[in-house]
Amino acid sequence: MSSIAGQKSALTWAVHISVVLLVGLWVFPTLGLFVSSFRTADQIGSSGWWRAMFPTEQNLTLRTAAPDTQVQIDGLYVIEGNLFGTEGNKSTAISAWGTSSRDISAYQPDEQAALRKGGQITVQADGSYRLESDAEISGKRGPRVFVTAVVPPEFTLKNYETILISGGATDNMAKAFFNTLTVTIPATIIPILIAAFAAYALAWMEFPGRALLIAAIVGLLVVPLQLALIPLLKVHNEIGIGKGYLGAWMAHTGFGLPLAIYLLRNYMVGIPRDIIENARVDGATDFQIFTRIVLPLSFPALASFAIFQFLWTWNDLLVALVFLIDSTGETTVMTKQIVEMLGTRGGNWEILATSAFVSISVPLIVFFAMQKYLVRGLLAGSVK
Amino acid sequence: MHPALQGILTIAFGVGGCVGYFYISNIILDHLIFPARGKHIARNIRRANIIRPWLFLLPAMLALGLYLAYPVVETLRLSLTERLPGGGSAFVGLDNYQQMLGEDKFWEALKNNFLWLLVVPAGSTAFGLLAAQLTDRIAWGNVAKSLIFMPMAISFVGAAVIWKLVYDARPPGAEQIGVLNAIYVYFGGSEAQQWLTIPFWNSIFLMIVLIWIQTGFAMVILSAALRGVPEETIEAAIVDGANPFQIFFRIKMPQIMGTIVVVWTTITIVVLKVFDIVFAMTNGQWETQVLANYMFDKLFRANDWGVGSASAMVIMLLVSPILIWNVRNARREMR
């Protein structure tokens, strides 16, 4: 294509632009989640995340300082300060303000407004105010001031603090994070070993019925795991492990095995026959050939499967729902907790986005670090 | 016991158990049952070698049998029986299937599943092919591929949250924070739409999530296939004056047809099992039900194992043509 004279540059540009568009389309949704997880609830609710980089106009509800800070100046009771805190916020500009929730932009900056409880208040564009009253100002908290202000972009780590450390029972993901980890690691390691031995037998040992077994494994690759839910739950209940980690580990092992055996066998078949024949001639047993030669040589395939199984068990919802999480919810995993949040906290995007991002960050790290093996495994694993 | 400790113990026990089993069973076979010494040495070694493959296969076969083969049979049995109050079950023939066929929700799920089967594999394969063809031609193609491939690592639940934010709707007058509604309102839409509650289109919006996830997979496989197309055929076409589109559709596509079929069927299987996305985003409301979620509803909400198993068998039935086709291909390749 690129070698056609004359058309090259125009076509190349078209390709570049198309790829940029395509990549943009694919990254945009995830980026939205990522950006939202660093914004406060007010920011998320008042402007689209794609405008997070720019100043936005927001409606804020602020309070003056508490009445016990009032001072007497020339017979007037006065509270002075800045609505945005003691420091003030130099880059914030108030465009309108009000003292009643019914009319939040009744006044311009520098105008004076009468308060319902008595006294007058003046608010400047930078947020500084002066509240004066003839009588002593009473009450625990200062009166509310509603401002419409252009707020500069601001990012916060507070959401992550809530999700990982300080949040209440439904918001705190720390426990679910460790539960997920507890499910994932054994469920990744154990099937590899079992599958590796079986794959070696299917690849390098002669016995009757081998072709049939391989065909059966190819068939089991596509059996929907939905079929296994009730029968296995019954089995688990009968043998007394019920719902819990053990059941989840075993289920993940069973469901992961066909792909593991298939991938590893395909890879092991490709090991040069000479190597194995030579070892046999030298008197190595099958067990030695397997542990000393085949296993180390199969590292790329082992890594591929490990990544698949890790991603699959980490991201799984169905197996956890059926085999792991009992009525106490002590063993809940992140996917389940996020689904619950989607139901109960549908509008709290700062919580949702942050917890979803915590849950997908680990697979994303694994993905970018080990992409090479993942691609290799995919190429070997799609049934040709 | 602390779960983490339990996990570490399980790893140690599982790994140790596996290694121990293989090691010790081999020793028993070689030294106790058929020792490679004495007067029957040749016969003993031969016999040990006949048995050894089965030692290697035993744990895997047990696990596969219990976790995948047995459930197929058991689900079939359950779909023909009914649980009796107080335990036990009774054979009811095809009653469960009849009951299921009489439910509107089932037909809705089946109809939606077929829609998913048409749209998602086609969409993912088409975008995958486009991405593969385009990224192979440019210097930063690998970076682009990585980014398009990335959703592969994201869980269906995570994707559900990501796309719910895209589809989010705010009341009229308020600033739209969902991209789709922001665009819709910007281009003159009257007011924000609750996209996930509009029948038919909401199914499409759910499918977009799966297409978004699966395109990377299609792209990786198809890109490898495109690289495998022999240069000579393309050069010959250029010499004959073919334009880039002709080269792609007439020269390359036919040569990678086999791979396209593989990608298509693999995604078809994913689609048939799709559960998490629907469960997390709409839970089958507003006419978005699919078979896997219907089944989950029946099994764990209605507690009706008979109908639940019957619908699982329907999924199995839909998968089986692909299963048979795969097995036949695998057997042909081994010959």
Side-chain angles (χ1 to χ4, degrees):
Chain A
M1 211 150 91
S2 53
S3 51
I4 295 174
Q7 294 189 345
K8 192 185 166 191
S9 60
L11 207 59
T12 313
W13 275 110
V15 169
H16 277 284
I17 291 167
S18 314
V19 175
V20 168
L21 280 177
L22 208 57
V23 169
L25 212 57
W26 251 253
V27 172
F28 199 69
T30 319
L31 198 63
L33 192 79
F34 182 65
V35 173
S36 295
S37 73
F38 292 103
R39 304 179 79 202
T40 64
D42 280 343
Q43 287 171 322
I44 294 177
S46 60
S47 69
W49 62 265
W50 52 93
R51 290 178 26 197
M53 293 296 162
F54 311 104
T56 51
E57 197 177 77
Q58 284 182 16
N59 296 321
L60 304 169
T61 305
L62 304 167
R63 279 181 189 278
T64 66
D68 55 16
T69 59
Q70 62 190 302
V71 285
Q72 260 185 309
I73 302 171
D74 305 336
L76 285 170
Y77 292 90
V78 175
I79 304 177
E80 267 184 321
N82 193 302
L83 289 170
F84 297 111
T86 47
E87 301 283 309
N89 195 334
K90 294 246 159 29
S91 42
T92 307
I94 293 173
S95 58
W97 59 281
T99 53
S100 154
S101 58
R102 268 164 296 175
D103 192 2
I104 57 171
S105 49
Y107 310 103
Q108 297 295 310
D110 212 17
E111 284 183 345
Q112 196 174 54
L115 284 170
R116 193 161 45 87
K117 281 163 106 183
Q120 297 91 36
I121 183 165
T122 313
V123 176
Q124 308 294 337
D126 66 353
S128 58
Y129 63 89
R130 183 184 165 89
L131 174 61
E132 308 171 334
S133 176
D134 297 332
E136 194 178 343
I137 305 164
S138 62
K140 264 209 175 90
R141 298 188 293 178
R144 285 186 298 181
V145 179
F146 302 89
V147 301
T148 304
V150 175
V151 179
E154 194 190 340
F155 296 99
T156 170
L157 285 172
K158 207 171 155 291
N159 298 332
Y160 285 91
E161 200 211 317
T162 309
I163 291 297
L164 294 174
I165 301 161
S166 66
T170 53
D171 290 349
N172 199 319
M173 297 271 286
K175 193 165 149 201
F177 186 92
F178 284 108
N179 288 346
T180 308
L181 209 61
T182 313
V183 173
T184 307
I185 293 174
T188 306
I189 294 175
I190 292 170
I192 293 181
L193 257 171
I194 298 179
F197 277 94
Y200 174 74
L202 290 173
W204 286 107
M205 290 165 114
E206 295 289 341
F207 59 94
R210 188 172 76 156
L212 208 67
L213 270 180
I214 298 172
I217 285 166
V218 172
L220 290 177
L221 267 178
V222 299
V223 168
L225 85 96
Q226 270 89 0
L227 262 75
L229 303 182
I230 286 294
L232 287 181
L233 197 58
K234 269 172 68 182
V235 170
H236 282 181
N237 283 333
E238 270 159 29
I239 62 177
I241 54 179
K243 282 185 158 199
Y245 286 114
L246 194 59
W249 289 325
M250 284 165 60
H252 277 307
T253 302
F255 299 145
L257 270 181
L259 181 68
I261 298 176
Y262 183 79
L263 270 183
L264 292 176
R265 181 199 162 263
N266 278 1
Y267 192 86
M268 287 177 185
V269 162
I271 295 173
R273 181 169 283 274
D274 290 351
I275 300 180
I276 290 167
E277 300 277 294
N278 283 344
R280 281 227 174 94
V281 170
D282 289 345
T285 64
D286 271 313
F287 190 77
Q288 286 169 327
I289 294 174
F290 174 74
T291 49
R292 303 265 175 82
I293 298 172
V294 174
L295 213 52
L297 282 179
S298 307
F299 176 75
L302 297 174
S304 301
F305 173 73
I307 297 164
F308 276 123
Q309 182 76 356
F310 176 82
L311 292 180
W312 155 243
T313 47
W314 185 278
N315 290 339
D316 159 78
L317 172 66
L318 189 56
V319 172
L321 280 180
V322 177
F323 295 113
L324 176 64
I325 302 165
D326 54 20
S327 50
T328 62
E330 280 296 302
T331 50
T332 191
V333 292
M334 282 191 288
T335 46
K336 162 77 171 150
Q337 201 174 353
I338 291 170
V339 169
E340 264 171 17
M341 282 182 196
L342 271 174
T344 56
R345 318 203 49 158
N348 295 44
W349 279 111
E350 75 287 1
I351 299 288
L352 270 174
T354 313
S355 49
F357 202 78
V358 166
S359 135
I360 66 176
S361 59
V362 174
L364 283 183
I365 293 168
V366 171
F367 171 84
F368 282 114
M370 323 245 328
Q371 205 179 5
K372 190 175 73 181
Y373 294 108
L374 190 68
V375 169
R376 208 180 287 178
L378 269 186
L379 291 175
S382 57
V383 186
K384 292 200 186 78
Chain B
M1 189 166 38
H2 194 271
L5 196 66
Q6 203 187 342
I8 293 168
L9 272 177
T10 309
I11 296 178
F13 189 76
V15 173
C18 279
V19 173
Y21 159 80
F22 289 113
Y23 186 71
I24 292 167
S25 66
N26 265 282
I27 285 183
I28 292 175
L29 187 70
D30 287 334
H31 293 271
L32 294 178
I33 306 178
F34 298 116
R37 59 175 185 271
K39 65 179 175 205
H40 298 304
I41 177 162
R43 198 187 71 191
N44 276 357
I45 290 180
R46 204 172 57 243
R47 283 192 180 167
N49 282 343
I50 291 174
I51 293 179
R52 197 182 331 273
W54 301 103
L55 285 184
F56 275 51
L57 284 168
L58 188 71
M61 283 176 67
L62 279 180
L64 284 176
L66 178 63
Y67 277 86
L68 286 167
Y70 158 75
V72 176
V73 182
E74 176 70 3
T75 303
L76 181 64
R77 190 187 72 81
L78 284 172
S79 75
L80 300 174
T81 59
E82 173 183 72
R83 273 201 296 175
L84 297 175
S89 60
F91 182 77
V92 293
L94 295 176
D95 277 10
N96 289 322
Y97 289 90
Q98 242 164 16
Q99 188 192 336
M100 182 177 72
L101 295 182
E103 278 185 32
D104 290 343
K105 265 289 177 193
F106 170 75
W107 289 107
E108 180 196 313
L110 198 65
K111 195 194 80 198
N112 279 332
N113 251 66
F114 274 108
L115 199 62
W116 280 74
L117 281 182
L118 282 179
V119 176
V120 176
S124 311
T125 314
F127 277 113
L129 201 54
L130 184 71
Q133 169 68 15
L134 293 178
T135 51
D136 274 351
R137 318 233 126 249
I138 52 177
W140 55 285
N142 279 338
V143 179
K145 266 194 195 140
S146 268
L147 291 172
I148 295 176
F149 194 28
M150 181 187 70
M152 224 18 216
I154 296 175
S155 62
F156 287 158
V157 175
V161 177
I162 289 174
W163 284 88
K164 266 210 149 172
L165 181 59
V166 173
Y167 297 148
D168 190 77
R170 293 275 144 151
E175 181 108 9
Q176 294 302 324
I177 65 164
V179 179
L180 195 61
N181 269 317
I183 294 171
Y184 180 75
V185 170
Y186 182 81
F187 283 107
S190 51
E191 60 181 76
Q193 302 288 316
Q194 295 280 355
W195 300 108
L196 291 176
T197 62
I198 308 168
F200 180 74
W201 292 107
N202 51 7
S203 289
I204 302 285
F205 288 119
L206 296 185
M207 289 173 207
I208 289 174
V209 181
L210 193 56
I211 294 177
W212 178 73
I213 293 175
Q214 291 294 327
T215 294
F217 162 76
M219 177 195 67
V220 165
I221 308 269
L222 292 172
S223 145
L226 281 174
R227 285 208 198 118
V229 172
E231 277 293 317
E232 306 90 74
T233 57
I234 297 165
E235 276 163 20
I238 293 172
V239 171
D240 288 346
N243 69 37
F245 291 97
Q246 283 173 323
I247 292 175
F248 183 71
F249 287 107
R250 310 282 276 279
I251 309 289
K252 286 183 174 175
M253 279 272 279
Q255 295 194 62
I256 61 166
M257 216 44 185
T259 314
I260 293 180
V261 172
V262 168
V263 168
W264 193 291
T265 48
T266 310
I267 297 175
T268 300
I269 293 167
V270 175
V271 170
L272 278 171
K273 301 182 204 171
V274 67
F275 163 75
D276 312 30
I277 293 178
V278 177
F279 182 77
M281 288 183 85
T282 63
N283 201 6
Q285 298 175 80
W286 309 295
E287 298 178 29
T288 54
Q289 190 66 294
V290 291
L291 280 174
N293 195 49
Y294 173 82
M295 193 209 84
F296 190 84
D297 254 359
K298 284 288 166 199
L299 288 182
F300 297 105
R301 295 222 180 84
N303 243 329
D304 188 341
W305 289 10
V307 176
S309 300
S311 50
M313 287 314 290
V314 173
I315 302 178
M316 185 66 207
L317 198 72
L318 292 173
V319 172
S320 18
I322 300 173
L323 189 152
I324 294 165
W325 188 73
N326 276 353
V327 169
R328 283 182 55 179
N329 276 358
R331 299 207 65 167
R332 205 176 51 216
E333 238 170 55
M334 266 181 293
R335 238 175 250 138

